[in-house]
């Protein structure tokens, strides 16, 4: 099955990279700043070196990690309804490079999509993902945008006039932003989608605490290895001397804030050297590395309203564990 294309549009356009030359990450400055804070904090974006990306792929297939398989089930069951709600001739913008099954399910379901625009800071990941999709969908104009999707950007024009722009943000990635930054990102979506646009956003829903905590503390220890790999990366790239055996992964649900809070915890009183910086850790001292916010439908609708958006539809699995929201201008 292929995307429902206009037969007049089947001449394959060339892939046209729009490189906005995003600023490269400064891991040294970010780590130095984070270790100087009280409490200490390291940005979760540095999880994803080559090893971290491999480990995350493994996390997604752990039996406790329901998020990926539940969202995929919703997309497989409801992609047609989502596509019908969006209508024909969509310009599909995805935050992050998506050659995976979620992107393909959307492109397959859409009626005569005019273009696909993934926005990704990594040029290599961006071009690799688009090359595969361009071969699979020759009638869809491919316009990869090398940029930081968390910052406002001007999207490139497409050859065929779209009926609307839809921003695709699956995977509950919105939950990794705190409330203020999530609201800001939704407001940015509102601006980039235009007056008649829409957004399709994956959100993890509030559920039993034990199930939530199990998802981030799998029995095989893959998530723990993924978290501690951040210290291994800092050792390798910044010449630090973290002893990973002296730290542990901890992920707990905070019911007041409705989020999983992941920390790296020091197992003893110790001092670590990072470049020319000496950092003391007390025994039991936690260092924040990630938030994973969870939502009730009402709480997410309130967040959307703050950004000038309204939840038009919410598709969930049968047990209401995960949701895919259709957002439009309020």
């Amino acid at each position: 099955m292929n995307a429902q294309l206009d037969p007049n549009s089947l001449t394959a356009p060339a892939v046209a990279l729009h490189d906005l030359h995003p600023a490269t990450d400064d891991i040294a400055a970010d780590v130095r700043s984070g270790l100087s804070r009280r409490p200490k904090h390291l940005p979760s974006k540095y999880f994803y070196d080559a090893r971290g990306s491999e480990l995350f792929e493994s996390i997604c297939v752990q039996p406790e990690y329901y998020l990926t398989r539940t969202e995929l089930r919703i997309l497989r069951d409801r992609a047609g309804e989502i596509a019908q709600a969006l209508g024909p001739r969509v310009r599909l913008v995805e935050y992050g490079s998506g050659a995976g099954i979620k992107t393909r399910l959307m492109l397959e379901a859409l009626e005569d999509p005019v273009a696909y625009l993934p926005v990704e800071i990594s040029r290599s990941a961006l071009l690799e993902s688009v090359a595969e999709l361009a071969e699979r969908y020759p009638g869809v104009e491919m316009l990869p945008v090398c940029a930081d999707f968390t910052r406002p950007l001007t999207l490139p024009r497409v050859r065929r006039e779209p009926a609307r722009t839809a921003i695709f943000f699956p995977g509950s990635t919105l939950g990794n932003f705190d409330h203020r930054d999530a609201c800001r990102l939704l407001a940015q979506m509102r601006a980039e989608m235009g007056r008649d646009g829409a957004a399709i956003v994956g959100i993890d829903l509030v559920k039993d605490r034990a199930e939530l905590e199990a998802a981030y503390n799998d029995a095989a220890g893959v998530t723990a290895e993924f978290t501690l790999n951040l210290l291994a990366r800092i050792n390798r790239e910044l010449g630090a001397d973290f002893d990973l055996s002296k730290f542990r992964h901890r992920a707990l649900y905070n019911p007041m804030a409705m989020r999983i809070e992941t920390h790296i915890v020091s197992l003893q009183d110790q001092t670590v050297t990072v470049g020319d910086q000496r950092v003391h850790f007390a025994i039991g001292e936690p260092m924040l590395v990630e938030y994973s916010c969870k939502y009730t439908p009402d709480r997410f609708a309130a967040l959307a309203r703050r950004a000038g958006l309204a939840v038009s539809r919410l598709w969930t699995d049968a047990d209401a564990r995960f949701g895919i929201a259709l957002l439009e201008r309020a």
Side-chain angles (χ1 to χ4, degrees):
M1 176 180 177
N2 290 321
Q4 301 172 47
L5 302 172
D6 180 345
N8 296 320
S9 70
L10 291 178
T11 300
V15 172
L17 174 65
H18 291 257
D19 194 340
L20 301 184
H21 303 285
T24 55
D25 289 328
D26 188 345
I27 184 172
D30 289 343
V31 168
R32 186 181 305 112
S33 173
L35 293 176
S36 300
R37 292 170 60 175
R38 295 293 181 270
K40 296 179 178 70
H41 172 233
L42 291 176
S44 59
K45 64 181 177 180
Y46 294 118
F47 280 141
Y48 299 96
D49 63 354
R51 179 57 179 157
S53 297
E54 289 175 1
L55 288 167
F56 183 72
E57 291 297 319
S58 182
I59 288 170
C60 291
V61 298
Q62 296 306 307
E64 301 93 339
Y65 196 80
Y66 59 85
L67 291 88
T68 302
R69 63 177 176 269
T70 306
E71 184 180 32
L72 279 172
R73 189 179 307 122
I74 298 168
L75 281 171
R76 288 190 174 104
D77 291 345
R78 304 295 188 180
E81 293 178 30
I82 296 170
Q84 187 174 23
L86 292 175
R89 303 192 319 280
V90 164
R91 176 175 69 163
L92 186 68
V93 179
E94 183 168 6
Y95 284 0
S97 55
I101 185 63
K102 296 173 190 176
T103 304
R104 297 199 298 270
L105 284 169
M106 283 301 300
L107 288 173
E108 293 280 355
L110 288 170
E111 180 184 351
D112 190 21
V114 302
Y116 172 65
L117 291 76
V119 184
E120 166 66 52
I121 200 167
S122 168
R123 290 173 186 82
S124 58
L126 184 63
L127 292 174
E128 182 180 347
S129 69
V130 172
E132 180 181 334
L133 291 170
E135 185 174 341
R136 183 181 290 263
Y137 305 105
V140 180
E141 187 176 8
M142 298 285 163
L143 297 172
V145 181
C146 186
D148 181 351
F149 69 73
T150 67
R151 299 179 181 276
L153 57 95
T154 300
L155 296 170
R157 294 183 63 85
V158 299
R159 293 188 315 163
R160 291 197 296 140
E161 187 67 23
R164 73 191 314 195
T165 294
I167 294 175
F168 187 42
F169 196 40
S172 77
T173 307
L174 186 72
N176 297 138
F177 295 84
D178 65 23
H179 192 82
R180 180 185 63 183
D181 287 342
C183 184
R184 180 187 55 77
L185 187 58
L186 289 173
Q188 179 183 309
M189 289 184 195
R190 182 181 186 275
E192 290 171 2
M193 69 172 64
R195 186 181 65 182
D196 298 320
I200 301 294
V201 179
I203 55 171
D204 195 18
L205 299 174
V206 170
K207 57 187 67 65
D208 178 73
R209 178 174 186 159
E211 184 179 7
L212 284 168
E213 291 188 350
Y216 295 86
N217 296 279
D218 59 275
V222 180
T223 307
E225 185 180 353
F226 170 76
T227 303
L228 292 175
N229 181 66
L230 177 57
L231 301 185
R233 178 179 183 180
I234 293 170
N235 283 348
R236 184 178 65 254
E237 297 188 17
L238 303 182
D241 60 358
F242 282 99
D243 182 341
L244 274 60
S245 69
K246 296 178 180 178
F247 293 86
R248 71 176 178 90
H249 157 91
R250 184 183 75 190
L252 297 174
Y253 182 61
N254 180 338
M256 295 297 293
M258 293 187 186
R259 67 191 182 198
I260 290 284
E261 296 173 351
T262 301
H263 293 86
I264 294 174
V265 181
S266 176
L267 295 176
Q268 63 184 57
D269 193 82
Q270 58 183 309
T271 298
V272 175
T273 301
V274 183
D276 59 1
Q277 184 181 19
R278 288 176 62 79
V279 184
H280 179 259
F281 289 85
I283 185 170
E285 181 179 353
M287 177 167 53
L288 178 67
V289 291
E290 188 172 52
Y291 289 137
S292 300
C293 297
K294 312 303 172 185
Y295 298 96
T296 64
D298 287 346
R299 182 172 182 254
F300 183 71
L303 175 66
R305 282 196 298 271
R306 285 190 57 197
L309 295 167
V311 179
S312 298
R313 297 281 301 275
L314 179 65
W315 293 272
T316 72
D317 59 292
D319 299 319
R321 302 162 89 201
F322 196 94
I324 297 176
L326 169 64
L327 300 174
E328 297 174 303
R329 287 193 168 211

